Every structure is written in structure tokens, then in C-alpha cells.
Amino acid sequence: MGHVSTTGRSARGNGGRHLLWVDPARELVLVSHWTEEPLGLIREVSRTVTSPS
């Protein structure tokens, strides 16, 4: 999977550099501080994480 999941939701702060991404369908929570490319980070993590069985 090389794209961002449509079931996830995000919150950003500090000029967009702090990120909270929650994807309940995939049981995934991602928290990052000082992220320059939040969408790229979400894509990279999404590509490596599979949906729970």
C-alpha cells in the first residue's frame, strides 16, 4: 500500500510540524514532532503497515 489510508484522521499543531495520525481500521497511531513532510511520513508508515487480520 503506497497511499495514505482514507480511514485515518490527523491533527497538526506548531505550524504543521507536530502530527497525530490515527487510523482505527488499521489499528495505527502515529505521533511525530518537528515533521517537515507529514504526508510523506504517513505514506512511508502506511506502506509498511498492513491491516490487522
Side-chain angles (χ1 to χ4, degrees):
M1 174 180 285
H3 67 289
V4 175
S5 172
T6 59
T7 61
R9 300 293 178 254
S10 70
R12 294 173 62 187
N14 192 28
R17 292 184 171 178
H18 292 183
L19 170 71
L20 170 64
W21 173 262
V22 179
D23 188 348
R26 297 173 63 204
E27 298 180 359
L28 176 64
V29 175
L30 174 62
V31 179
S32 178
H33 294 276
W34 304 109
T35 302
E36 293 294 326
E37 295 289 333
L39 189 55
L41 176 62
I42 294 168
R43 282 186 178 132
E44 287 296 317
V45 171
S46 292
R47 185 173 31 234
T48 60
V49 175
T50 59
S51 296
S53 304

